[in-house]
Amino acid sequence: MIKLIVYICLLLKLFASANPLSNSSTLQKSQSAMPTQKKVIVIGAGAAGIAAATRLIENGIKDVLIIEAEDRIGGRIYTLDIPGDEGVLEIGAQWIHGEKNNVVFELASKKKLIGRFDQVFENMLFVQSSSQVIDPEVHNKMTKLFYSIKTNPDENVLEYKTSGNYYLTKINESLQHGNYSISEDLKSQFIEWFHQQINSVDASDTWFQSSASTMIEYWECEGFPSIAWTPNGYRQLFTALSEKADSILGKNFLENYIKKNTEVVKITPDGKGVRIKCDNNEEYVADHVIVTVSLGVLKANYKKLFPENLLPDKQQKAIQHLLFGNVAKLYLKFPHRWWPENITDISLLWNETDKSDYERRGLKWVTDVFAFMVSYNHNSTLCGWISGQSARDMEAIDENFVKNELMQVLRKFLGNKYTIPEPDWFYRSTWKSNSHFNGTYSLRGPITDSMNVSAADLSVPVVNKDNVPVILFAGEATHPHYYSTVHGAVETGWREADRIISLKKAVN
């Protein structure tokens, strides 16, 4: 009887080994249950994520993996090659803002990859929706007034609560006491243009949404404010960041240490470390995870991403009450440059009659396109700018409709002065409607001040039972002074990597 049982077992074993489908499925099930182990997982292959991972490798922590939801690296840096043409366009981050104490400028200048975009007031073309071109002497005086107020805030600026309150007060005071011999309607049009410009800088829906504290809390880097990466765009930042890591690893970091098309859906404690679950059911266990997703993604997903109130109350409040806005770009590439060579910007001043007409037709977003900037990297391409609710509305509309409306606007404003050809290519950004970003960059509002939360609260790491940081946070929104910038994002990636490196040094 015992021999018979042994014989049957042998037959079953032999059958199983002869059935590769059965055997492999069992193996796959076994393998899927075993999470991949890493020293550090970085979530997000943008500026902060790549800065953090390469910093770790440079300091001896090589067991690193970046998990990226998109099919590309870069995050909110997105350099696009123009189809069938030479040149690149920046769909996301565009400028290096300043030179002194700017880590991105330092990286670019060492590689001699910088160019300057001279946005001189005299080279800006201002035109009204009635097609009247504004005298350069007039718009120079108005724009210089606006920017002097912006760059020289009063000591009592916090008393105004919002940027809008401050700007309107100071602009009206200056117009009353200065020699500005223009009509009240034209003054109003210039003020609204400046309002839209501030919205594009702050990523706000309105300048009353943006806190006056921004004028003190946000730091400008000294030096030239608008510096471009040339010749191949902002994406060159990532090769500059990873150059040293490549030499240490003996292979290309960007090609071998980043897993794309994979979205992290849950982060939970696992012993002394962290367990990361992805949308494809893959799981990872790591000693540390550095989360670099946008504040927009955190706002939409933090309760699912960090279940069971894993984040402290103060950090949850920071996620809720720090603001995250949206700025959109609208690129029109023309077969040739139809505007004068010296013009760097075409700025639009809408009169109330035309604005009301567009609003009645459900096209308010069109009137919030306040300017077309000439692309630094392509001489015959204009980039329209729009922000806030109008940018969100624009993203939800058919692309061809958007293009056609923009062309009607250009011809309405300038068609009597120039022959404007049809564009041979159009591209619009869609940062808000992409759930991997949910917008462009962070800002502070009066609600941020009233709830007493800050970037410092957002950046506090979650610790394990031994008080060791295991979930760390980086990204532009976690920087106290350089938020909304790439150099701020890079600094925060290095900050969190250094936090982990210091733990390793303490153990050794």
Side-chain angles (χ1 to χ4, degrees):
M1 184 67 179
I2 294 174
K3 288 183 177 180
L4 179 62
I5 293 171
V6 172
Y7 178 69
I8 292 171
C9 290
L10 287 171
L11 283 175
L12 289 172
K13 185 176 181 181
L14 181 64
F15 176 77
S17 63
N19 187 340
L21 181 61
S22 171
N23 196 42
S24 64
S25 64
T26 303
L27 180 62
Q28 288 173 2
K29 186 175 181 180
S30 172
Q31 287 177 336
S32 65
M34 295 292 292
T36 302
Q37 296 196 354
K38 290 287 178 182
K39 182 74 175 175
V40 182
I41 295 284
V42 178
I43 302 175
I50 291 175
T54 53
R55 182 81 146 212
L56 290 167
I57 292 168
E58 290 168 14
N59 287 272
I61 301 176
K62 302 178 186 178
D63 188 20
V64 178
L65 176 69
I66 298 181
I67 300 176
E68 168 56 48
E70 291 279 294
D71 61 358
R72 61 175 181 83
I73 69 167
R76 283 165 279 167
I77 295 173
Y78 184 15
T79 304
L80 188 67
D81 292 298
I82 301 175
D85 205 339
E86 294 183 2
V88 297
L89 300 175
E90 303 291 5
I91 307 305
Q94 184 144 347
W95 307 117
I96 302 171
H97 296 291
E99 302 170 53
K100 188 176 181 180
N101 297 323
N102 187 324
V103 295
V104 172
F105 175 81
E106 291 170 10
L107 286 167
S109 59
K110 283 179 183 177
K111 300 292 182 183
K112 298 182 179 179
L113 296 173
I114 59 173
R116 296 175 185 270
F117 183 84
D118 294 310
Q119 191 177 27
V120 180
F121 295 137
E122 288 80 357
N123 292 340
M124 299 170 72
L125 175 66
F126 278 80
V127 59
Q128 294 174 288
S129 54
S130 62
S131 74
Q132 178 66 43
V133 175
I134 303 301
D135 185 333
E137 185 178 342
V138 172
H139 75 65
N140 288 347
K141 198 168 186 178
M142 292 298 290
T143 50
K144 287 176 182 177
L145 165 65
F146 294 147
Y147 285 101
S148 67
I149 293 172
K150 180 179 183 296
T151 54
N152 299 288
D154 286 356
E155 292 181 358
N156 64 339
V157 65
L158 296 180
E159 296 176 7
Y160 292 86
K161 303 297 183 183
T162 72
S163 295
N165 291 337
Y166 178 76
Y167 283 127
L168 281 176
T169 300
K170 295 302 175 183
I171 289 170
N172 287 325
E173 287 177 356
S174 298
L175 290 175
Q176 287 173 7
H177 297 102
N179 181 22
Y180 297 90
S181 54
I182 58 175
S183 69
E184 292 302 314
D185 284 346
L186 186 53
K187 287 179 184 177
S188 296
Q189 291 170 28
F190 269 110
I191 291 171
E192 179 57 21
W193 173 86
F194 186 54
H195 177 198
Q196 296 297 343
Q197 177 123 142
I198 293 298
N199 288 341
S200 73
V201 172
D202 289 350
S204 53
D205 286 18
T206 164
W207 55 12
F208 299 111
Q209 184 191 39
S210 181
S211 172
S213 64
T214 295
M215 298 184 191
I216 296 174
E217 191 175 317
Y218 178 82
W219 291 356
E220 299 271 2
C221 293
E222 293 180 24
F224 201 78
S226 303
I227 302 169
W229 285 79
T230 186
N232 292 315
Y234 227 127
R235 62 188 170 195
Q236 295 171 113
L237 170 67
F238 302 115
T239 54
L241 282 170
S242 61
E243 184 178 59
K244 189 174 179 180
D246 288 349
S247 64
I248 292 170
L249 297 168
K251 53 186 172 181
N252 189 298
F253 166 82
L254 299 176
E255 292 179 1
N256 293 281
Y257 284 74
I258 300 175
K259 183 177 179 60
K260 303 172 190 172
N261 294 305
T262 305
E263 184 176 339
V264 172
V265 295
K266 186 185 291 186
I267 301 170
T268 53
D270 188 278
K272 292 186 177 182
V274 188
R275 181 177 291 256
I276 298 104
K277 186 175 181 179
C278 301
D279 59 349
N280 58 7
N281 290 321
E282 290 182 349
E283 293 193 353
Y284 296 84
V285 171
D287 293 347
H288 312 275
V289 58
I290 303 177
V291 180
T292 73
V293 299
S294 75
L295 176 59
V297 170
L298 288 177
K299 282 180 172 292
N301 302 303
Y302 76 94
K303 290 183 180 179
K304 293 180 180 178
L305 194 57
F306 306 100
E308 300 177 7
N309 282 325
L310 180 59
L311 302 183
D313 289 344
K314 187 75 169 179
Q315 195 164 33
Q316 292 187 47
K317 285 183 179 179
I319 292 171
Q320 293 163 5
H321 299 300
L322 288 166
L323 307 183
F324 196 71
N326 189 46
V327 178
K329 294 181 179 181
L330 304 151
Y331 280 108
L332 291 159
K333 175 183 172 291
F334 293 95
H336 59 268
R337 184 180 178 120
W338 50 265
W339 57 92
E341 283 293 330
N342 66 313
I343 296 300
T344 59
D345 297 76
I346 299 171
S347 290
L348 311 181
L349 302 176
W350 289 85
N351 63 45
E352 285 302 318
T353 301
D354 287 326
K355 284 181 70 174
S356 297
D357 176 55
Y358 270 79
E359 287 179 18
R360 278 196 301 271
R361 292 188 284 137
L363 296 171
K364 181 184 183 304
W365 68 268
V366 177
T367 67
D368 286 340
V369 179
F370 67 95
F372 288 89
M373 180 181 289
V374 180
S375 173
Y376 177 82
N377 292 309
H378 200 269
N379 194 43
S380 62
T381 297
L382 292 176
C383 178
W385 291 81
I386 186 173
S387 59
Q389 184 60 50
S390 289
R392 296 191 289 274
D393 292 342
M394 178 278 300
E395 288 187 20
I397 299 171
D398 176 76
E399 187 174 71
N400 282 328
F401 183 83
V402 173
K403 180 190 74 172
N404 291 337
E405 287 298 325
L406 294 176
M407 288 304 300
Q408 287 188 37
V409 165
L410 283 171
R411 287 171 176 146
K412 175 180 178 58
F413 278 74
L414 291 167
N416 67 337
K417 189 174 179 63
Y418 304 102
T419 300
I420 305 176
E422 281 296 304
D424 49 27
W425 186 73
F426 172 69
Y427 190 96
R428 64 171 174 184
S429 64
T430 52
W431 294 107
K432 175 59 182 178
S433 50
N434 186 331
S435 62
H436 297 153
F437 302 102
N438 283 327
T440 50
Y441 45 85
S442 64
L443 66 150
R444 281 70 170 129
I447 191 170
T448 313
D449 301 332
S450 65
M451 296 303 294
N452 192 31
V453 291
S454 66
D457 300 313
L458 185 60
S459 64
V460 174
V462 176
V463 299
N464 64 13
K465 60 183 180 180
D466 295 326
N467 205 36
V468 173
V470 290
I471 304 176
L472 305 92
F473 295 86
E476 54 85 14
T478 72
H479 200 294
H481 301 297
Y482 293 149
Y483 52 89
S484 79
T485 68
V486 177
H487 56 276
V490 170
E491 282 196 8
T492 63
W494 287 345
R495 179 193 67 207
E496 298 310 311
D498 289 344
R499 201 189 299 267
I500 295 172
I501 293 162
S502 66
L503 294 173
K504 177 188 172 186
K505 289 178 179 178
V507 171
N508 294 337

